[in-house]
């Protein structure tokens, strides 16, 4: 252990207590394990924060002792950037409190809360939040970089529902960022990711959407090309209440195919006809439509115990629509799966999310598109065939893809995409980075 780590450990232990600081042992091991079992990083020091003062102490200790710093919340970044090798890691999982003001439909969400925590607190009040599709994902990490999900058409991205954030900056100061206080920081964290400080608390707008109408429609692979071609027309005219996810995945019979996972968030009676159109795009092997709560919809995608610790590699491409070449690439991706767990998830971006002016937040792509996430997912073992599959699919989709990609899915080798990921906002975002974090203390997602 080098002198800086030793000094920081003593200083933080004296300030926060033995149960909050670890360089080994159960707390340390629990913190360094993340969703992707391929991540084996070993931080130098873990600080289990219980409030803003703990976060400030950890940030200042990292600065004073010249230690790299990362922040762990939900642990769903596939590269494990929240638990950097040799870094001081601030673990926010002890800060998961969610308070809901039903009168104003606003939730105050601590920095370590997950989507399941948020929805669980909002549901008793008949309210929901804009989240992704998995309950274990941290709300802060999802929100700061964008936040695609089944309510995007009606309610915008998760970041479009961020009203204010409490942020600990690289110098240890705690500030509030909203439309009236630190407005440039507020602009930057809505799309620029966790690259400007540690978000210890957020205020998020909630919505009354329950019940939603959700469908699971699965088409065998020979029908996938025709169904995706027909899906283009439905997506181009979709009302805000309808957001459709499509996925190339292994079906119930063990054979690959195309799954459509639409969610209707308006009046359930009005959603039956749009969902029926999706069922009539071909001859589905599975077609289930049912009303459900947003909470149940989220929990349907919880990770199964048997997949915990499996390895993951992801790539991302943004498609203007399902072009003929993209359709061919997606069908080929399913036909060449190297693992039955692998998949290509395609989320629709439209409606309220697309009507936000691109300059209003740092998020750089506001035109209608399909965000494709290529997920190689396999039991521990030889990674090469699965990573090669993911690279091959990404390169095939790149032919018709829009410049850039979703920052939450980009890695250090994706510099070509990162250069365009923020569209016309890149220069302003770099200026904000220089202003708020000139020493590049925070590196949650790639910046150009």
């Amino acid at each position: 252990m080098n002198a800086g780590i030793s000094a920081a450990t003593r200083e933080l232990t004296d300030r926060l207590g033995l149960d909050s600081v670890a360089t080994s042992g159960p707390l340390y091991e629990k913190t360094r394990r993340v969703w992707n079992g391929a991540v084996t990083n070993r931080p130098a020091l873990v600080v289990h924060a219980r409030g803003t003062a703990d976060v400030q102490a950890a940030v200042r200790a990292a600065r004073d002792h010249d230690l790299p710093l990362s922040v762990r919340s939900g642990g769903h970044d596939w590269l494990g950037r929240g638990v950097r090798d040799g870094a001081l890691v601030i673990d926010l999982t002890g800060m998961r409190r969610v308070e809901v003001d039903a009168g104003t439909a606003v939730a105050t969400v601590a920095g370590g809360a997950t989507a399941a925590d948020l929805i669980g607190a909002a549901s008793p009040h008949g309210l929901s939040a804009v989240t992704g599709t998995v309950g274990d994902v941290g709300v802060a990490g999802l929100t700061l970089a964008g936040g695609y999900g089944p309510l995007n058409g009606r309610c915008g991205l998760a970041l479009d529902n961020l009203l204010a954030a409490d942020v600990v900056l690289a110098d240890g100061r705690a500030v509030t960022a909203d439309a009236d206080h630190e407005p440039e920081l507020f602009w930057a964290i809505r799309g620029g990711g966790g690259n400007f400080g540690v978000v210890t608390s957020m205020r998020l707008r909630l919505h009354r959407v329950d019940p939603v109408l959700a469908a699971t429609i699965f088409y065998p692979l020979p029908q996938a090309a025709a169904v995706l071609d027909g899906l283009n027309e439905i997506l181009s005219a979709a009302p805000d209440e309808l957001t459709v996810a499509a996925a190339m995945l292994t079906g119930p019979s063990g054979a690959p195919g195309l799954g459509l996972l639409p969610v209707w968030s308006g009046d359930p009676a009005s959603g039956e006809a749009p969902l029926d159109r999706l069922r009539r795009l071909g001859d589905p092997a599975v077609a289930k439509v049912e009303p459900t709560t947003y909470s149940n919809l989220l929990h349907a995608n919880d990770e199964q115990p048997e997949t915990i610790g499996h390895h993951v590699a992801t790539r991302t491409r943004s498609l203007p629509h399902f072009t003929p070449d993209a359709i061919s690439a997606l069908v080929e991706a399913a036909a060449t799966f190297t693992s039955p767990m692998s998949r290509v998830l395609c989320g629709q971006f439209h409606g309220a999310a697309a009507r936000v002016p691109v300059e209003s937040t740092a998020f750089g792509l506001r035109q209608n598109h399909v965000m494709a996430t290529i997920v190689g997912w396999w039991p521990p073992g030889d990674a090469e065939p699965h990573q090669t599959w993911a690279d091959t699919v990404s390169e095939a989709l790149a032919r018709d893809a829009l410049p850039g990609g979703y920052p939450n899915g980009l890695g250090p080798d994706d510099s070509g995409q990162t250069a365009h990921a923020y569209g016309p906002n890149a220069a302003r975002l770099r200026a904000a980075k220089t202003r708020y974090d000139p020493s590049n203390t925070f590196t949650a997602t790639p910046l150009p």
Side-chain angles (χ1 to χ4, degrees):
M1 186 180 297
N2 69 35
I5 296 169
S6 298
T9 302
R10 289 194 301 271
E11 176 184 313
L12 290 167
T13 301
D14 289 345
R15 184 180 181 92
L16 307 180
L18 281 170
D19 60 342
S20 294
V21 182
T23 56
S24 62
L27 175 64
Y28 174 87
E29 293 297 331
K30 181 180 179 181
T31 299
R32 79 176 188 88
R33 291 194 191 100
V34 292
W35 168 65
N36 183 2
V39 174
T40 58
N41 296 350
R42 299 200 68 87
L45 169 64
V46 166
V47 177
H48 189 66
R50 292 182 173 84
T52 298
D54 294 358
V55 173
Q56 290 179 284
V59 169
R60 287 170 175 149
R63 178 197 61 190
D64 293 345
H65 300 288
D66 197 26
L67 300 177
L69 181 69
S70 66
V71 182
R72 186 199 192 283
S73 181
H76 266 255
D77 173 63
W78 72 279
L79 287 164
R81 283 172 286 211
V83 288
R84 290 172 61 187
D85 251 340
L88 188 161
V89 171
I90 302 175
D91 178 12
L92 297 181
T93 57
M95 298 170 59
R96 294 175 61 170
R97 184 177 177 85
V98 179
E99 297 178 352
V100 173
D101 185 329
T104 60
V106 172
T108 300
V109 184
T114 65
D117 295 330
L118 173 55
I119 297 302
S123 293
H125 303 280
L127 296 165
S128 291
V130 178
T131 69
T133 59
V134 178
D136 288 338
V137 169
V139 176
L142 174 85
T143 301
L144 300 181
Y148 289 75
L151 297 181
N152 287 174
R154 177 171 168 181
C155 306
L157 291 166
L159 68 84
D160 297 324
N161 293 274
L162 179 62
L163 303 174
D166 296 327
V167 186
V168 174
L169 300 176
D171 60 5
R173 288 184 298 132
V175 301
T176 296
D178 59 23
D180 299 315
H181 308 89
E182 301 288 352
E184 193 64 9
L185 178 61
F186 186 52
W187 176 87
I189 63 175
R190 289 177 295 157
N195 291 302
F196 302 88
V198 185
V199 173
T200 57
S201 179
M202 299 177 290
R203 263 73 74 201
L204 295 170
R205 184 185 298 112
L206 301 176
H207 303 270
R208 297 191 183 277
V209 298
D210 280 340
V212 296
L213 199 61
T216 300
I217 307 168
F218 184 81
Y219 291 98
L221 191 59
Q223 298 182 47
V227 171
L228 285 170
D229 184 53
L231 183 60
N232 278 320
E233 182 179 351
I234 294 177
L235 296 186
S236 66
D240 292 1
E241 294 85 356
L242 177 65
T243 297
V244 183
M248 310 305 300
L249 75 171
T250 300
S253 69
L258 168 65
L260 300 183
L261 304 166
V263 174
W264 175 269
S265 59
D267 173 45
S270 301
E272 293 177 4
L275 296 186
D276 189 56
R277 285 190 68 194
L278 294 166
R279 288 187 294 188
R280 290 186 284 107
L281 287 171
D283 182 19
V286 176
K288 297 188 296 185
V289 179
E290 59 184 356
T292 187
T293 65
Y294 193 80
S295 177
N296 287 342
L297 184 69
L298 193 68
H299 285 298
N301 295 314
D302 285 348
E303 187 172 4
Q304 300 303 308
E306 62 268 20
T307 68
I308 294 173
H310 281 30
H311 294 190
V312 178
T314 77
R315 311 288 185 267
T316 181
R317 295 288 179 182
S318 299
L319 305 170
H321 58 277
F322 292 112
T323 64
D325 282 349
I327 290 173
S328 295
L330 290 169
V331 172
E332 179 66 12
T336 57
F337 281 151
T338 52
S339 163
M341 298 174 61
S342 294
R343 58 202 63 190
V344 184
L345 308 173
C346 299
Q348 182 189 12
F349 180 98
H350 75 122
R355 290 193 294 271
V356 176
V358 71
E359 68 276 6
S360 295
T361 69
F363 192 82
L365 181 60
R366 290 292 183 172
Q367 73 182 73
N368 287 358
H369 64 273
V370 174
M371 194 272 286
T373 303
I374 303 147
V375 184
W377 197 354
W378 66 97
D382 183 14
E384 194 278 332
H386 311 289
Q387 292 175 335
T388 298
W389 172 84
D391 288 335
T392 300
V393 178
S394 179
E395 290 166 8
L397 291 177
R399 298 168 194 154
D400 286 353
L402 298 167
Y406 185 33
N408 259 349
L410 296 177
D413 297 328
D414 299 319
S415 57
Q417 288 181 262
T418 300
H420 302 283
Y422 301 92
N425 297 321
R428 182 176 173 185
L429 194 61
R430 286 195 299 268
K433 179 68 170 175
T434 300
R435 175 177 174 181
Y436 290 102
D437 184 21
S439 59
N440 199 32
T441 298
F442 301 103
T443 55
T445 52
L447 291 176

